[in-house]
């Protein structure tokens, strides 16, 4: 996927300004920045999920030969969930509280495939198993609030990889978890990348994560990318002052 | 902070209009005796359902004269209903600061001066008359006194109870809180109107008007305190755990200071909103009670028992002005709602954050 | 769940007991005892009088009388109505049903109108239609039910489309079941509408607010990111979450609904419990007052239970201690 | 010895379920020495926040004793306690909740002078000086909390605490809701202020990386117990308890050895000295 010169504004004030980046096949691309840097907005803009009031001013998001910012609503819907999936920060809020986890994962199949009920159940249980949930049947029947934070995030990831998307946009997927769980969820991402041949656009404020996971990294500040490159290169040899600052607090 | 809230409030034009209207209505109620040409019980039965008097500024020749009203000639149609016609030869000039029924200004200074009126035997019915030929305008103003004061008194009493009980429950928590809240729930869950009727049933029939009035206030407060208590209690309970209160505690401030400086001010703005939004409930409850004949008794007027005249459908057709008390209730309730909502927008920290 | 229901019952029972005791004693003190009223009434046969004196121990102290009245309740013995000159149970049975019909009609009307309006307004936020709905709701909210009822009655009398009171037409008994249904429907229209107007205003505003709040939640974003069709996002994800809090309110609304219904029964001469209670209070018909009062509490409990059961079915987060 | 805890316990009744208690703090022995910052590290539900509030005397301990400068506050009347309270101050996690929204910053800070005989001018001067030390403009005095960012509010909260001249300042997840950069600036600030104000920090956090910079000693909490305590360098180089190891590897390298996260402790499990002030639970 390639983002070219993306600009997003609210009340004619630009909060994402001229952002370009390329996520290679089967790679993990980290978009790093402090809060308010525009990194989450960039992720949401790709799937045109911005809150009302935020407006995409210009730019392209090329994916599979199409510009996601220009295609029609139905075509966009076909991309969402099927080819590009999202994982959010707080799985408690990202799941609908009144539907079971299983129902919500199965919805992905309902929306994009013609699987019948039994096949959907089978697939869902298989997914839950893949993300490391020990008793998939119980989790399938549970409501989000009945699961622990780590379990919920795993289920969320299972939902994201349901249709083997080519790209997952993960917006701070571990920030709400305890440190030990963070590590486990990150490992899961690495495992899934290898298993499903997918790429990940990882949005995070934590350069520590980047160090151990990402192939490429772009650092954002005030809506602009201030530095980007292979993660080894950027972290070893930061050029921009802001990157150096961020980095100095990690080690 | 206060000024900011006030100027924000003033930006809401509806709310300012509501506040002004409420001010006018309350002032009118306060000076009802003076503003009204007649006392609430002044009746002239021959003028049953007399229509609003037309005030004329020109005489027959069309030249400008001081305002006057015509005397009325009463005829009967085939159903023996009264038909009012102007008597061309009887003119009663409208005059200001005239002598009329006796009253005391604000209950203190006895006087007979009224803002306006006409000489006897002429009568002026600004907004028509009721079945007994009493001036609706005068009765509306006097009725406003009762209806509005019941609202304010009722809220004041139930609010005092609510603040006290809610504060105790919220401050002590635990068992005390549990018991008090169960009691509150009981009151809130019960259909108030049935409770109202049951309580009204035990008011002795030999009570005089003032006693009935007080009884109604007490009954309404008795039913209404629970919901306020619940809210106050909830706020105290959550404020107690807020970090700035904890911080104040670690600073060694006394409980009293914490309660007065850090907890109560936060409930006050809510209380003000709650008061504004609950007064209509009391006004409506009094009106309902008086409407069905269990509230304020004739000859005393309240908006509710004035409206009772409009229960007969036939009368509405021939004397539509008897619906006016209903509009007054509507406008007042509306104004309290508008002002209360605007206050909430300005003061409620939840929405202003 | 069963325990929860019992707990609910236990919260309402004390107030019924305290209030009935208070009413019982004070009414006797202020307006003469049953005993005297019974003896002085020439229309009641001596046998009946004898029966009730024995049944309610009317020659004993007040407190004893109260408890014998209370125990008799459990045998569905509600006492004797001096005003109607028949046992209270005979008067009251049908009244309970009538009040239920009126409340239910109003409830259906309120929710049927307010919920779609609220959803529509939320989805068209700040458009001209939304503003219009909000403005109308504000006016509706401030309209006193009794006043609305009077206006409606007046217009009905002018147009002659709808009956001006009561619950049945004169020839009701000769109708078949469908005609009967429509006859009651025509009669209930005015009181139910009057009862609903201000509730519709209030409920619509709440529904709109909830819907707007829910639409801003993250799971809506998730649903969209999954590629669900917009209809499904709104009706299967947003709607349920927006309605659930309303069901919670419903429990408390029942009290208001019954109160409002009582007032309108009186104004529209609908033969319900509220109208009955008024007659009873006016004529100091003590047994009737007590029975009406208790039954209103009974209706309330049923309404609340229905709301709770509904909520438990709708929202998995609600668990009444098992 | 600034603070000494001996066998401190605090249990709460679980919400909703009867006869079930949450053992938030379940037998903690701990010593905080003057000038030796202690990091109290644990994940959510480990009891670290409760422990902090016990030291603050916001809760009363169910068992054990807490001595502050050798004195047991539980034995004092509330009247005797009040003037002592200023010696232990706190900065909370949520900067939006820790300042009374109705108070101007001047009013917030002026409250610290209650009971002290200071002229208005002296007060004003001290407030201005303090704001300067925490890196804020003196214009801030006339503004209200909602006009400040999260980081600035935490600075104000720190200013308020330090104006009380405390011996111990408890930082309860004080930087956890802040952006990494801002958090790091606050840590730097705390380091700078320590020398000037002669205060000792108790830093409660879930983030090992945060305490590394500020604390000389670290205590790791899990399930209401302290399971390991050591000098910061020792702990980072040689974590002994498997839970500490997991915590460290997760915090530093995002790799997790597979171990249980919640540990069960018998009544008799005690901290064993491994030399050089390194204690591990047995």
């Amino acid at each position: 996927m390639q983002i070219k010169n993306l600009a997003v504004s609210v009340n004619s004030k630009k909060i994402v300004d001229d952002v370009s980046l390329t996520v290679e096949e089967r790679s993990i691309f980290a978009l790093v920045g402090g809060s308010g840097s525009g990194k989450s907005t960039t992720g949401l803009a790709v799937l045109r999920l911005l809150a009302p009031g935020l407006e995409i001013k210009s730019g392209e998001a090329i994916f599979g030969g199409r510009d996601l910012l220009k295609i029609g609503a139905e075509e966009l819907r076909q991309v969402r969930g099927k080819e590009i999936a999202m994982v959010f920060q707080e799985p408690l809020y990202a799941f609908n509280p009144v539907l079971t986890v299983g129902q919500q994962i199965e919805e992905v199949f309902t929306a994009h495939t013609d699987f019948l009920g039994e096949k959907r159940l089978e697939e869902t249980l298989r997914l839950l198993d893949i993300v490391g949930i020990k008793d998939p049947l119980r989790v399938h029947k549970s409501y989000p609030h009945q699961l622990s934070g780590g379990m919920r995030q795993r289920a969320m990831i299972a939902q994201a990889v349901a249709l083997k998307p080519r790209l997952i946009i993960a917006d701070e997927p571990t920030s709400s978890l305890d440190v030990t769980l963070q590590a486990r969820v990150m490992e899961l991402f690495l495992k899934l990348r290898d298993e499903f041949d997918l790429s990940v656009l990882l949005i995070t404020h934590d350069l520590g994560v980047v160090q151990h996971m990402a192939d490429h990294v772009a650092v954002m500040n005030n809506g602009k990318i201030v530095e980007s490159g292979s993660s080894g290169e950027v972290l070893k040899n930061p050029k921009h002052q802001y990157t150096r600052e961020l980095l100095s607090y990690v080690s | 902070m206060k000024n900011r809230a006030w100027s924000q409030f003033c930006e809401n034009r509806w709310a300012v209009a509501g506040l002004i209207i409420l001010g006018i209505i309350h002032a009118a109620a306060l000076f009802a005796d003076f503003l009204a040409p007649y006392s609430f019980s002044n009746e002239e039965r021959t003028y049953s359902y007399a229509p609003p008097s037309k005030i004329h500024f020109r005489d027959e020749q069309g030249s400008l004269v001081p305002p006057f009203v015509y005397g009325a000639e009463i005829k009967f149609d085939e159903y023996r209903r009264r038909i009012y016609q102007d008597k061309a030869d009887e003119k009663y000039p409208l005059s200001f600061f005239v002598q009329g029924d006796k009253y005391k200004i604000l209950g203190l200074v006895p006087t007979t001066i009224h803002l306006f009126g006409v000489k006897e035997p002429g009568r002026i019915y600004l907004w028509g008359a009721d079945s007994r030929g009493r001036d609706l305008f005068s009765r509306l103003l006097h009725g406003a006194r009762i209806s509005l004061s019941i609202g304010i008194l009722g809220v004041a009493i139930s609010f005092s109870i609510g603040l006290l009980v809610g504060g105790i429950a919220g401050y002590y928590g635990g068992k005390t809180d549990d018991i008090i809240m169960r009691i509150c729930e009981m009151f809130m869950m019960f259909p108030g109107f049935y409770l109202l009727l049951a309580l009204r049933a035990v008011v002795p029939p030999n009570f005089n008007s003032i006693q009935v009035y007080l009884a109604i206030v007490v009954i309404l407060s008795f039913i209404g305190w629970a919901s306020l208590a619940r809210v106050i209690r909830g706020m105290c309970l959550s404020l107690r755990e807020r970090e700035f209160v904890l911080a104040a505690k670690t600073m060694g401030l006394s409980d009293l200071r914490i309660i007065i400086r850090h907890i109560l001010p936060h409930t006050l703005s809510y209380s003000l909103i709650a008061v504004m939004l609950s007064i209509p409930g009391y006004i409506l409850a009094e009106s309902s009670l008086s409407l069905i004949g269990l509230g304020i008794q004739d000859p005393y007027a309240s908006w509710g028992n004035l409206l009772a005249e409009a229960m007969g459908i036939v009368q509405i057709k021939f004397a539509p002005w008897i619906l006016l008390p209903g509009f007054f209730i509507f406008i007042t309730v509306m104004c309290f709602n508008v002002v209360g909502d605007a206050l909430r927008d300005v003061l409620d920290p939840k929405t202003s954050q | 769940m069963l325990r929860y229901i019992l707990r609910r019952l236990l919260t309402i029972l004390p107030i019924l007991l305290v209030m009935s005791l208070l009413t019982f004693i004070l009414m006797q003190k202020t307006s003469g005892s049953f005993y005297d009223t019974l003896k002085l009434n020439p229309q009641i046969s001596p046998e009946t009088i004898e029966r009730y004196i024995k049944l309610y121990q009317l020659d004993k102290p007040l407190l004893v009388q109260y408890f014998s009245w209370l125990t008799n309740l459990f045998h569905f013995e509600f006492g004797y109505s001096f005003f109607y000159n028949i046992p209270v149970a005979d008067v009251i049975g049908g009244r309970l049903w009538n009040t239920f019909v009126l409340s239910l009609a109003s409830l259906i009307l309120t929710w049927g109108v307010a919920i779609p309006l609220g959803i529509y307004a939320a989805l068209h936020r700040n458009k001209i239609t939304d503003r219009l709905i909000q403005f109308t709701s504000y006016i509706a909210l401030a309209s006193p039910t009794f006043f609305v009822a009077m206006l409606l009655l007046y217009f009905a009398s002018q147009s002659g489309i709808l009956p001006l009171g009561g619950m049945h037409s004169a020839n009701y008994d000769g109708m078949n079941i469908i005609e009967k249904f429509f006859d009651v429907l025509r009669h209930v229209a005015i009181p139910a509408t009057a009862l609903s107007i201000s509730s519709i205003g209030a409920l619509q505003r709440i529904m709109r607010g909830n819907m707007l709040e829910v639409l801003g939640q993250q799971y809506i974003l998730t649903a969209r990111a999954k590629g669900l069709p917009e209809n499904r996002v709104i009706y299967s994800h947003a709607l349920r979450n927006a309605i659930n809090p309303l069901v919670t309110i419903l429990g408390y609304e029942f009290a208001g609904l019954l109160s409002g219904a009582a007032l309108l029964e009186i104004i529209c001469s609908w033969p319900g419990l509220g109208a009955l209670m008024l007659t009873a209070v006016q004529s100091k018909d003590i047994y009737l007052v007590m029975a009406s009062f208790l039954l209103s509490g009974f209706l309330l409990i049923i309404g609340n239970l229905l709301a709770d059961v509904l909520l438990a079915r709708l929202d998995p987060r609600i668990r009444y201690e098992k | 010895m600034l603070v000494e805890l001996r066998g401190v316990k605090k249990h709460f009744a679980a919400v909703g379920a009867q006869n079930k208690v949450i053992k938030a703090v379940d037998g903690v022995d701990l010593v905080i020495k003057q000038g030796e910052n202690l990091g109290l590290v644990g994940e959510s539900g480990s009891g670290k926040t409760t422990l902090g509030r016990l030291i603050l005397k916001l809760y009363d301990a169910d068992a054990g004793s807490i001595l502050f400068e050798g004195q047991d506050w539980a034995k004092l009347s509330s009247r005797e306690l009040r003037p002592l309270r200023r010696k232990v101050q706190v900065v909370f996690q949520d900067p939006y909740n820790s300042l009374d929204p109705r108070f101007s910053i001047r009013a917030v800070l002026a409250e610290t002078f209650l009971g002290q005989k200071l002229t208005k001018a002296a007060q004003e001067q001290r407030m201005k000086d303090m704001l300067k030390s925490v890196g804020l403009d003196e214009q801030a005095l006339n503004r209200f909390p909602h006009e400040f960012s999260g980081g600035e509010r935490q600075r104000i909260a720190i200013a308020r605490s330090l104006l009380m001249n405390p011996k111990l300042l408890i930082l309860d997840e004080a930087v956890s809701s802040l952006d990494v950069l801002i958090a790091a600036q606050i840590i730097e600030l705390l380091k700078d202020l320590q020398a000037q104000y002669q205060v000792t920090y108790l830093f409660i956090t879930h983030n090992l990386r945060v305490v590394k910079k500020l604390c000389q000693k670290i205590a790791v909490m899990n399930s209401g117990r302290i399971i390991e305590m050591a000098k910061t360098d020792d702990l980072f180089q040689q974590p002994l308890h498997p839970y500490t190891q997991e915590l460290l590897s997760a915090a530093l390298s995002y790799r997790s050895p597979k171990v249980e996260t919640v540990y069960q402790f018998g009544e008799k499990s005690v901290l064993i000295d491994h030399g050089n002030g390194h204690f591990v639970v047995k």
Side-chain angles (χ1 to χ4, degrees), chain B residues 181-183 185-187 189, chain C residues 4-16 301:
Chain B
M181 281 309 108
R182 286 294 93 73
I183 296 174
E185 265 172 37
M186 286 179 349
F187 276 94
M189 276 179 52
Chain C
Y4 180 80
I5 292 176
L6 282 176
R7 213 185 72 107
R8 259 286 161 86
L9 281 173
L10 285 179
T11 51
I12 197 87
L13 274 182
I15 196 173
L16 283 176
I301 290 172

Side-chain angles (χ1 to χ4, degrees), chain C residues 178-235:
Chain C
I178 296 168
E179 284 169 345
K180 276 183 178 175
F181 175 76
F182 280 104
D183 187 51
V184 172
L185 200 63
R186 272 162 43 83
H187 281 84
V188 87
I190 288 180
T193 309
L195 187 50
S196 303
I197 289 284
S198 71
S199 323
I200 290 176
L203 196 65
Q204 183 278 128
R205 276 158 56 101
I206 300 173
M207 183 66 202
R208 176 177 179 272
N210 285 354
M211 195 74 185
L212 284 177
E213 195 188 319
V214 167
L215 284 176
Q217 296 287 321
Q218 215 179 12
Y219 50 79
I220 297 300
L221 204 59
T222 314
R224 288 198 175 122
K226 279 198 286 195
L228 299 189
E230 192 60 19
N231 269 340
R232 203 181 157 87
V233 172
I234 287 168
Y235 293 103

Side-chain angles (χ1 to χ4, degrees), chain B residues 12-277:
Chain B
N12 185 340
R13 271 173 295 162
W14 290 98
V16 173
L19 201 62
I20 292 172
I21 295 175
L22 281 182
I24 293 173
I25 293 178
H26 280 82
L30 203 58
F31 298 104
D33 311 282
F34 172 66
L35 296 174
Y38 302 106
S39 81
F40 59 86
S41 55
N42 183 327
E43 58 182 55
E44 188 62 67
R45 296 211 179 194
T46 46
Y47 286 90
S48 173
Y49 294 123
S53 317
K54 266 206 188 107
I55 297 171
H56 299 265
F57 297 95
R58 292 172 190 277
D59 60 12
E60 289 78 25
Q61 287 76 43
S63 48
L64 215 54
V65 292
F68 66 93
V69 295
Y70 285 111
E73 187 174 14
I74 302 165
K75 289 182 185 154
F76 290 88
D77 69 0
E78 67 265 41
Y79 305 108
R80 294 211 41 81
R81 277 193 298 251
R82 288 180 166 81
I83 297 171
Y84 291 87
Q85 278 169 348
D86 289 343
K87 269 192 209 158
D89 51 341
E90 254 183 59
K91 286 184 194 170
Y92 300 101
L94 184 70
S95 35
F96 291 91
F97 302 102
V98 294
Q99 300 278 322
D101 296 317
K102 269 188 273 183
Y103 67 95
K104 289 178 181 165
I105 299 171
L106 298 175
L108 298 170
V109 191
T111 175
T112 56
I113 304 288
H114 292 255
L115 177 65
F116 68 95
V118 292
K119 281 244 165 52
E120 295 280 341
R123 286 182 79 82
I124 179 162
Y125 293 113
L126 219 47
W127 291 343
D130 68 0
S131 59
R132 296 211 211 157
R134 292 177 293 201
D135 175 30
L136 192 62
F137 176 73
S138 303
R139 281 177 67 76
L140 263 172
L141 289 185
H142 284 100
R145 266 189 181 176
I146 289 181
S147 292
L148 296 175
S149 65
I150 281 189
I152 291 165
L153 261 178
V155 165
I157 295 178
S158 55
F159 206 76
S160 319
I161 306 176
L163 205 63
L164 189 71
V165 175
I168 290 173
Y171 188 76
Y172 290 103
K175 279 252 152 47
T176 327
D177 178 42
D178 270 354
I179 294 168
I180 292 179
M181 281 309 108
R182 286 294 93 73
I183 296 174
C184 282
E185 265 172 37
M186 286 179 349
F187 276 94
M188 284 180 66
M189 276 179 52
F190 209 81
F193 197 71
Y194 282 88
L195 205 56
L196 203 63
L197 287 182
L199 286 168
R200 187 62 179 85
V202 304
V203 173
N206 55 348
F207 266 26
N208 66 30
S209 301
I210 293 173
Q211 283 170 318
V212 169
Y213 171 86
L214 290 176
I216 292 172
V217 171
V218 169
I219 291 173
L220 291 181
S221 320
F222 182 69
I223 297 174
W225 63 272
S227 56
L228 287 167
R230 236 175 94 101
V231 174
I232 297 293
R233 170 257 181 189
M235 297 191 75
C236 288
L237 220 53
S238 79
L239 281 167
R240 222 175 46 158
E241 297 298 316
R242 287 279 286 276
E243 292 180 338
F244 64 83
V245 174
L246 292 180
K249 218 168 163 182
T250 67
M251 285 163 68
L253 304 187
S254 65
D255 283 357
L256 194 66
R257 189 182 161 87
I258 292 176
I259 290 172
I260 291 176
R261 294 279 284 157
H262 292 282
I263 292 186
L264 279 187
H266 287 266
T267 67
L268 275 183
S269 60
Y270 185 87
S271 307
L272 189 63
I273 300 163
V275 163
M276 276 296 167
L277 292 176

Side-chain angles (χ1 to χ4, degrees), chain C residues 12 17 73 129 160 207 230-231 238 254 273 278 293 299:
Chain C
I12 197 87
L17 286 179
L73 280 183
T129 39
M207 183 66 202
E230 192 60 19
N231 269 340
F254 270 107
L273 205 55
L278 177 68
F293 183 71
L299 266 184

Side-chain angles (χ1 to χ4, degrees), chain A residues 27-116:
Chain A
S27 74
I28 294 183
F29 189 105
L31 191 56
V32 187
S35 56
S37 62
K39 58 188 196 304
S40 295
T41 311
T42 306
L44 290 173
V46 170
L47 282 180
R48 281 156 55 183
L49 287 168
L50 293 173
L54 272 64
E55 211 182 326
I56 298 174
K57 280 290 172 196
S58 62
E60 295 170 21
I62 310 290
F63 181 82
R66 292 157 300 182
D67 181 0
L68 296 179
L69 306 182
K70 301 235 162 53
I71 56 178
E74 181 54 27
E75 204 181 343
L76 178 68
R77 186 179 77 72
Q78 291 295 339
V79 173
R80 288 176 178 174
K82 193 174 178 184
E83 295 179 58
I84 302 180
M86 286 202 78
V87 173
F88 293 101
Q89 173 174 7
E90 177 42 271
L92 182 59
Y93 302 134
F95 273 123
N96 188 333
V98 301
L99 299 175
T100 65
V101 169
Q103 280 172 337
Q104 298 188 53
I105 298 179
E106 285 189 25
E107 262 185 343
V108 182
F109 296 116
T110 323
H112 296 290
T113 68
D114 41 17
F115 288 177
L116 295 174

Side-chain angles (χ1 to χ4, degrees), chain A residues 12-32:
Chain A
S12 71
K13 192 188 139 216
K14 282 193 175 167
I15 52 172
V16 171
D17 193 4
D18 197 20
V19 164
S20 302
L21 55 87
T22 307
V23 184
E24 307 280 348
E25 295 274 335
R26 303 198 56 222
S27 74
I28 294 183
F29 189 105
L31 191 56
V32 187

